[in-house]
Amino acid sequence: QVQLVESGGGLVQTGGSLRLSCAASGSIFTIVDMGWYRQAPGKQRELVAIITSGGRTGYAGSAKGRFTIARDNAKNTMYLQMNSLSAEDTAVYYCNANVRSSWSDAGRTHWGQGTQVTVSS
């Protein structure tokens, strides 16, 4: 009964910024690691950024220096701040999270429905 809902996508000009949000709800004991993925038309889904429960982060080379991933554990929400956007960033962005429903739960992966980001050139 875990739901992940992305928001914040839209149309932006080259060089602009967007902030994506991923809100988790449902049967949540704790969220372990979370990440943002994206998929452009005709391309495979790729990892953009990850953040662990301990706050450690990792970025794809294309995102490093431009994107920042963050999370608010009290709100069960994750963010992706995207700056200096270019046409190559156009894709559907998906939220992913490993969620434990109880202390004894090993956790399982959940996906959001995706939010479209389009960068005009």
Side-chain angles (χ1 to χ4, degrees), residues 7-118:
S7 62
L11 178 64
V12 65
Q13 292 183 335
T14 298
S17 299
L18 284 174
R19 190 177 80 152
L20 306 182
S21 298
C22 171
S25 61
S27 182
I28 300 173
F29 177 71
T30 185
I31 302 177
V32 186
D33 51 319
M34 307 182 76
W36 287 98
Y37 294 73
R38 69 185 182 188
Q39 187 167 23
K43 305 289 186 179
Q44 294 187 2
R45 188 172 300 186
E46 64 176 356
L47 176 68
V48 178
I50 57 173
I51 184 166
T52 70
S53 60
R56 302 190 69 172
T57 60
Y59 298 91
S62 60
K64 197 173 302 181
R66 299 187 300 125
F67 294 3
T68 302
I69 188 171
R71 62 190 288 176
D72 186 336
N73 292 330
K75 297 180 178 180
N76 288 329
T77 302
M78 176 179 63
Y79 306 95
L80 184 68
Q81 178 66 47
M82 305 187 295
N83 300 323
S84 301
L85 288 165
S86 67
E88 287 69 37
D89 298 311
T90 295
V92 177
Y93 285 71
Y94 296 91
C95 175
N96 177 268
N98 184 278
V99 179
R100 298 179 184 269
S101 296
S102 68
W103 184 256
S104 61
D105 185 19
R108 59 188 62 188
T109 296
H110 300 271
W111 291 93
Q113 82 288 348
T115 184
Q116 177 71 50
V117 171
T118 303

